[in-house]
């Protein structure tokens, strides 16, 4: 259906059977910047202190998942990729 077609347009490697395995860690400043921009759009967060804490929480969770993915790879020999599409 339509959702599958949209997914294929977003990730053409699913069709071409060709994927570049090139993932690197995002710098912390980039994570902070993306989260700040995201939370600017959330009308319920008018308090700057709460917004700052939410931004820091997102960065912490993302970095923790990256670290745990390394442990997961060492223990199971299976990859878990943490990519920009999975942030926020």
């Amino acid at each position: 259906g339509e959702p599958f077609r949209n997914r294929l347009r977003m990730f053409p490697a699913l069709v071409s059977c060709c994927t570049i395995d090139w993932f690197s860690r995002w710098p912390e400043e980039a994570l902070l910047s993306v989260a700040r921009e995201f939370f600017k759009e959330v009308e319920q967060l008018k308090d700057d202190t709460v917004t700052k804490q939410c931004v820091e929480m997102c960065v912490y969770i993302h970095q923790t998942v990256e670290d745990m993915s390394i442990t997961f790879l060492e223990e199971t020999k299976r990859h878990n990729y943490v990519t920009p599409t999975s942030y926020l």
Side-chain angles (χ1 to χ4, degrees):
E2 189 63 31
F4 183 64
R5 277 191 290 278
N6 288 335
R7 194 79 167 159
L8 291 176
R9 283 187 206 109
M10 289 172 33
F11 302 99
L14 293 174
V15 175
S16 70
C17 299
C18 174
T19 302
I20 297 173
D21 186 3
W22 188 20
F23 300 106
S24 57
R25 289 180 80 102
W26 277 23
E28 186 169 334
E29 187 54 42
L31 294 169
L32 288 167
S33 178
V34 169
R36 275 189 217 109
E37 286 301 312
F38 176 80
F39 285 113
K40 277 184 187 177
E41 306 295 322
V42 179
E43 293 181 21
Q44 291 83 358
L45 292 176
K46 297 296 181 192
D47 184 355
D48 288 340
T49 303
V50 174
T51 302
K52 184 175 185 268
Q53 291 171 341
C54 288
V55 166
E56 290 171 359
M57 177 194 63
C58 288
V59 171
Y60 174 77
I61 290 170
H62 187 80
Q63 290 175 333
T64 303
V65 171
E66 285 181 325
D67 294 339
M68 291 306 298
S69 293
I70 294 168
T71 303
F72 181 75
L73 174 62
E74 291 168 353
E75 291 177 2
T76 66
K77 307 296 186 242
R78 294 174 55 201
H79 291 273
N80 176 53
Y81 296 107
V82 184
T83 65
T85 54
S86 63
Y87 185 55
L88 300 179

